[in-house]
Amino acid sequence: MKKIALLGSTGSIGRQTLEVLANLGTDYKVVALTAGKNAEELEAQARKFKPAMVALHDYEAAQRLTEALADLNIRIESGDEGQVNASTWSDAELVVMAQVGFSGFLPLIAALKAGKTIALANKESLVVGGELLDRLGLLDRSRILPVDSEHSAVWQSMANAQKDEIARVYLTASGGPFFGYTREKLHEVTPEQALKHPNWQMGSKITIDSATMMNKGLEVIEAKWLFDLKLEQIEVVVHRQSIIHSMVEYIDGSIIAQLGSPDMRAPIQYALTYPERKTGLVERYNPFNSQLTFESPDRQNFPCLDLAYRAAETGGTMPAVLNGANEIAVENFLAGKITFIDIPAVIESVMTSHQTVKNYNLKDAVTADRWARQKAEEIITGCKGRMN
Amino acid sequence: MKKIALLGSTGSIGRQTLEVLANLGTDYKVVALTAGKNAEELEAQARKFKPAMVALHDYEAAQRLTEALADLNIRIESGDEGQVNASTWSDAELVVMAQVGFSGFLPLIAALKAGKTIALANKESLVVGGELLDRLGLLDRSRILPVDSEHSAVWQSMANAQKDEIARVYLTASGGPFFGYTREKLHEVTPEQALKHPNWQMGSKITIDSATMMNKGLEVIEAKWLFDLKLEQIEVVVHRQSIIHSMVEYIDGSIIAQLGSPDMRAPIQYALTYPERKTGLVERYNPFNSQLTFESPDRQNFPCLDLAYRAAETGGTMPAVLNGANEIAVENFLAGKITFIDIPAVIESVMTSHQTVKNYNLKDAVTADRWARQKAEEIITGCKGRMN
């Protein structure tokens, strides 16, 4: 029986992970569940999966949950500590990190330090901390199993390849709902339009990131750290159908690709069952009468992709700043406070103001993240300059 | 240094194998070369690669070669014995079998009995003898490395998968030069047209087999034996661009595919360098701005595919009969003696007359092959019934 801790269980990936686990049956046991503040859903999950502990980041919500679960013998925690305790839960053999954004960073470090095997859906933690973890010798790639569909595809396409046999990696991008739009048209797109992804059912933050192509930019940085690649080895190719989830090109010209229906339950399950495969919930892809296309991304009108490459080239705290500014810009776009094309403008502006700290430590990363968020908010509310 | 015996060195695959070996350099050494009757080309190859032995199947040609190579210390053999001695050459660590048609059968058995590792380009030998070799316990799949592009793709896409994790295999087919043709149009196609394959540079026999779809039928049978699959697990999908060389679908719905430029030097090199990959001569495939399509094969107008499935279902000596009749039909089509649509008609007619021997032995296979050839010739020359 494989024992699982799941962080971020009430988000899109978290819910789908529980759906997959329920289907996999008694070979898998949930031992810890965490969320941010959704006490109601976490209570329902706890009643169904009977973990030994649950944690909510929000203190008040955790209080309510404690009362709600009083009839069950479940340990209930809160704050950063609760998340970290779940990610290092002694009984857990596999820690699924399905949180959104920067919040995955501290639990990831803790889990790596504790020697856990991690199914990683939280790309932002590697964007922020990949360089640091690598420098500290904590980035044991054999213990980080990717859940992002693209990185799962790369992982599956690498099988037992040697690193020096890999020429390049093609990360596929759907292009999002606005592929082909002019700058004029992008001016007017609404959050509702941006939330309608053509192929994937995902949470709101990643769906907006998909529309701006920032998602692919973050994935480029994630891929760099997960697979120990040079940035020049990572190419982004627009593949509108989202059937080929990514490809690995070898030095002999051979390319291995992973394909399938666009359904996150597929890469989630692979990370859970690895090194085995098991029948699952995903509808199989029928190739007959289909057409797969590859195009170049529009780097002019979707500048987030190049901002991410630029942040990765700069290194140090810059990727944390890219990520922090993006999280705030996306929140403000969803709240109707800025337009779609303001998103890259805000991020670029924050990045330009940032004094990169090279060879950063954990505190530097946290500070850079906070600084970037505050700076982004200032730019958005017009209070520019207060921080400088 | 890896020592290589190459059978069928003057054919298309043989020549390309030597090209790849010359490029790979001094880590590889050719120790034996064989061909059918092309003494001039084999002489030139022998002078360049300095093998310890060479063999021509044709006795007269071997005599001429003996005189031509008198100045070199190279052992020269002839007949079936020469081919078998090359395929079991004690010094050879890898035996490349690049002969065309049934002629690969006896050397393959001998090489397997001798415990050789084999790079197999000769699909006909597995079509004829797969069932027999399997029954005799000689089909050690870890020692047969596929060279056919489709089977190399399947092999590469299987990596370290478990057999019970494989749901199905998609063998891709270009569809050949006549895909989409009506029966009326197929009536009139000439050998010259049939020899113009849209994507691949290959020998004449396999090029005609591609045009009739018999090549894919033989590959289905080859795949069944190479990968220990049920026939129902093997699907043929027309993929006009010949970029995806085949795909493996797993029980979790994930599909792994191998892609690359249509260039036989790629799968040849992979079989030679396996388990490593090395830079090679093949131009890399650039996915940008390309389009990959999948269609169903036209089983009505290209009945050879279903004839192959039918032969494989029948088993016993029937696949040998399918193959023998096909070899004769192709020869006669190339000689202008029958039309393109006569090819499946002749094969079907021979198959219908055949009394299948179940649990066949080596002699039965050879007899069935001879019988099928004679029967096909009779049908073609109108002397039907003489054999019955």
Side-chain angles (χ1 to χ4, degrees):
Chain A
M1 192 196 286
K2 207 184 264 186
K3 292 176 183 164
I4 313 280
L6 167 57
L7 284 77
S9 66
T10 61
S12 171
I13 298 291
R15 287 175 189 163
Q16 292 180 80
T17 301
L18 290 176
E19 199 187 332
V20 169
L21 285 168
N23 181 65
L24 285 172
T26 52
D27 289 346
Y28 297 80
K29 165 80 186 137
V30 176
V31 294
L33 290 173
T34 83
K37 53 177 189 270
N38 190 340
E40 290 64 35
E41 185 162 351
L42 192 57
E43 182 197 341
Q45 292 177 345
R47 291 195 179 277
K48 180 165 181 193
F49 290 93
K50 309 252 181 323
M53 80 90 81
V54 297
L56 281 168
H57 193 265
D58 185 87
Y59 182 75
E60 309 265 315
Q63 292 286 87
R64 274 187 285 128
L65 186 61
T66 305
E67 286 159 35
L69 288 177
D71 58 319
L72 295 180
N73 182 23
I74 296 179
R75 183 186 172 102
I76 295 156
E77 302 196 14
S78 65
D80 285 345
E81 202 184 306
Q83 304 293 315
V84 165
N85 285 348
S87 78
T88 57
W89 193 250
S90 66
D91 217 23
E93 291 153 78
L94 181 68
V95 180
V96 182
M97 312 209 99
Q99 314 96 316
V100 178
F102 183 80
S103 65
F105 184 45
L106 296 178
L108 174 66
I109 294 186
L112 284 170
K113 281 189 179 163
K116 295 293 182 190
T117 297
I118 294 153
L120 187 70
N122 176 265
K123 66 193 80 175
E124 292 90 343
S125 55
L126 273 192
V127 169
V128 170
E131 186 183 320
L132 174 63
L133 293 168
D134 195 35
R135 182 154 25 86
L136 297 177
L138 285 170
L139 205 57
D140 178 352
R141 294 177 173 87
S142 68
R143 288 193 293 109
I144 309 183
L145 318 183
V147 172
D148 247 349
S149 63
E150 295 80 359
H151 302 79
S152 179
V154 170
W155 179 39
Q156 293 180 53
S157 300
M158 279 186 180
N160 36 14
Q162 298 301 306
K163 190 179 161 337
D164 60 1
E165 294 174 357
I166 294 159
R168 62 180 59 70
V169 161
Y170 291 102
L171 295 181
T172 52
S174 70
F178 307 134
F179 183 72
Y181 275 37
T182 59
R183 197 173 158 79
E184 289 66 46
K185 276 185 83 179
L186 286 177
H187 252 294
E188 290 154 21
V189 301
T190 64
E192 291 66 37
Q193 292 172 307
L195 285 169
K196 283 195 188 118
H197 195 278
N199 303 332
W200 292 98
Q201 292 288 330
M202 301 182 292
S204 60
K205 196 263 178 180
I206 188 176
T207 305
I208 302 302
D209 284 349
S210 279
T212 64
M213 298 281 293
M214 179 57 91
N215 184 49
K216 212 50 53 178
L218 298 175
E219 285 177 3
V220 167
I221 305 177
E222 183 187 10
K224 174 183 161 63
W225 296 117
L226 273 180
F227 305 113
D228 197 14
L229 298 167
K230 296 191 184 103
L231 274 182
E232 314 85 77
Q233 289 181 290
I234 309 171
E235 291 203 43
V236 171
V237 59
V238 172
H239 167 57
R240 298 290 286 155
Q241 300 79 25
S242 297
I243 296 298
I244 296 186
H245 300 311
S246 277
M247 311 192 274
V248 176
E249 183 188 314
Y250 292 89
I251 54 172
D252 60 359
S254 183
I255 295 175
I256 305 290
Q258 192 263 342
L259 294 73
S261 305
D263 186 325
M264 282 307 298
R265 295 173 301 178
I268 289 169
Q269 177 169 305
Y270 188 63
L272 292 172
T273 64
Y274 176 82
E276 293 175 59
R277 292 184 186 272
K278 293 182 187 287
T279 50
L281 296 161
V282 178
E283 199 185 339
R284 47 178 288 256
Y285 163 65
N286 176 355
F288 290 98
N289 304 317
S290 63
Q291 202 173 57
L292 307 176
T293 60
F294 299 111
E295 296 163 83
S296 296
D298 176 355
R299 289 168 184 271
Q300 234 81 52
N301 289 319
F302 297 85
C304 285
L305 182 57
D306 281 346
L307 289 175
Y309 270 97
R310 209 197 295 170
E313 271 159 30
T314 305
T317 47
M318 192 58 97
V321 166
L322 169 92
N323 178 67
N326 180 58
E327 290 194 29
I328 295 303
V330 170
E331 269 177 40
N332 279 277
F333 170 68
L334 285 171
K337 294 185 185 162
I338 61 173
T339 68
F340 187 77
I341 63 163
D342 287 337
I343 298 173
V346 167
I347 299 163
E348 180 160 26
S349 183
V350 174
M351 283 172 66
T352 306
S353 310
H354 182 61
Q355 299 279 347
T356 303
V357 182
K358 299 271 175 192
N359 297 318
Y360 65 108
N361 59 29
L362 181 56
K363 199 172 150 232
D364 296 328
V366 174
T367 305
D369 173 70
R370 287 196 190 142
W371 175 86
R373 288 166 192 270
Q374 206 166 335
K375 187 79 190 164
E377 293 282 14
E378 281 171 22
I379 290 168
I380 289 165
T381 56
C383 304
K384 293 175 197 178
R386 203 171 62 185
M387 287 286 290
N388 290 333
Chain B
M1 192 195 286
K2 207 184 264 188
K3 291 176 185 166
I4 313 281
L6 168 57
L7 284 76
S9 66
T10 61
S12 172
I13 298 292
R15 287 174 189 164
Q16 291 180 81
T17 301
L18 290 176
E19 201 188 330
V20 169
L21 285 169
N23 180 64
L24 285 172
T26 51
D27 289 347
Y28 296 80
K29 166 79 186 137
V30 175
V31 294
L33 290 173
T34 82
K37 54 178 190 269
N38 189 340
E40 291 63 36
E41 186 163 350
L42 192 57
E43 183 198 341
Q45 292 177 345
R47 291 195 178 278
K48 181 166 180 192
F49 290 92
K50 309 252 180 328
M53 80 90 81
V54 296
L56 282 168
H57 193 264
D58 185 87
Y59 182 74
E60 309 264 318
Q63 291 286 86
R64 276 186 285 126
L65 186 62
T66 305
E67 287 161 34
L69 288 176
D71 59 317
L72 295 180
N73 182 23
I74 296 179
R75 183 186 172 101
I76 295 157
E77 302 194 14
S78 65
D80 284 346
E81 201 184 307
Q83 303 293 316
V84 165
N85 285 348
S87 78
T88 57
W89 192 249
S90 66
D91 218 20
E93 291 154 76
L94 182 68
V95 180
V96 181
M97 312 210 99
Q99 313 99 312
V100 177
F102 183 80
S103 65
F105 183 46
L106 295 179
L108 173 66
I109 294 185
L112 284 170
K113 280 188 178 163
K116 296 293 183 192
T117 296
I118 294 153
L120 187 71
N122 175 265
K123 66 194 80 176
E124 293 89 343
S125 54
L126 273 192
V127 170
V128 170
E131 184 183 321
L132 174 62
L133 292 168
D134 195 34
R135 180 155 25 86
L136 297 177
L138 285 170
L139 206 57
D140 178 352
R141 293 177 175 87
S142 68
R143 290 194 292 107
I144 309 183
L145 318 182
V147 172
D148 248 349
S149 63
E150 294 80 358
H151 303 76
S152 180
V154 171
W155 179 38
Q156 293 180 53
S157 299
M158 280 187 181
N160 37 14
Q162 299 301 305
K163 192 180 161 336
D164 61 2
E165 294 174 356
I166 293 160
R168 62 180 60 70
V169 161
Y170 290 103
L171 296 182
T172 53
S174 69
F178 307 135
F179 182 74
Y181 275 36
T182 59
R183 196 172 159 81
E184 289 66 44
K185 275 184 84 180
L186 286 177
H187 253 294
E188 288 155 22
V189 302
T190 64
E192 291 66 37
Q193 291 173 306
L195 285 169
K196 283 194 190 119
H197 194 278
N199 303 333
W200 292 98
Q201 292 289 329
M202 302 181 293
S204 59
K205 195 262 178 180
I206 187 174
T207 305
I208 302 303
D209 283 349
S210 279
T212 63
M213 298 282 293
M214 179 57 92
N215 184 49
K216 211 50 52 179
L218 298 176
E219 286 177 4
V220 167
I221 304 176
E222 183 187 10
K224 173 182 162 63
W225 296 116
L226 274 179
F227 305 113
D228 197 14
L229 298 167
K230 296 191 183 103
L231 273 182
E232 313 85 76
Q233 288 181 292
I234 310 171
E235 291 204 43
V236 171
V237 59
V238 172
H239 167 56
R240 297 292 285 155
Q241 300 81 25
S242 296
I243 295 297
I244 297 185
H245 299 312
S246 279
M247 310 192 274
V248 176
E249 183 187 313
Y250 292 90
I251 53 171
D252 59 0
S254 183
I255 294 176
I256 305 290
Q258 191 264 343
L259 295 74
S261 304
D263 186 325
M264 282 307 298
R265 294 173 302 179
I268 289 169
Q269 176 168 305
Y270 188 63
L272 293 172
T273 64
Y274 176 82
E276 292 175 60
R277 292 184 186 271
K278 292 180 186 290
T279 52
L281 295 161
V282 178
E283 199 184 337
R284 47 178 288 255
Y285 163 63
N286 176 355
F288 289 97
N289 304 316
S290 63
Q291 201 173 57
L292 307 175
T293 59
F294 298 112
E295 297 164 84
S296 296
D298 176 355
R299 290 168 184 268
Q300 233 82 52
N301 288 318
F302 297 85
C304 285
L305 182 57
D306 280 345
L307 289 176
Y309 271 97
R310 207 198 297 172
E313 270 158 32
T314 306
T317 47
M318 192 57 96
V321 165
L322 170 92
N323 178 68
N326 180 57
E327 289 194 31
I328 295 302
V330 170
E331 269 177 40
N332 279 277
F333 170 68
L334 284 170
K337 293 183 184 163
I338 61 173
T339 68
F340 187 77
I341 63 162
D342 287 337
I343 298 174
V346 167
I347 299 164
E348 180 160 24
S349 183
V350 175
M351 282 173 66
T352 305
S353 310
H354 182 59
Q355 298 281 344
T356 302
V357 182
K358 299 272 173 192
N359 297 317
Y360 65 109
N361 60 27
L362 180 57
K363 199 172 152 234
D364 296 328
V366 174
T367 304
D369 172 70
R370 286 197 191 141
W371 175 86
R373 287 165 193 271
Q374 207 167 333
K375 188 80 191 166
E377 292 283 14
E378 282 171 20
I379 290 167
I380 289 165
T381 55
C383 303
K384 294 178 200 182
R386 204 172 61 186
M387 287 286 290
N388 291 334

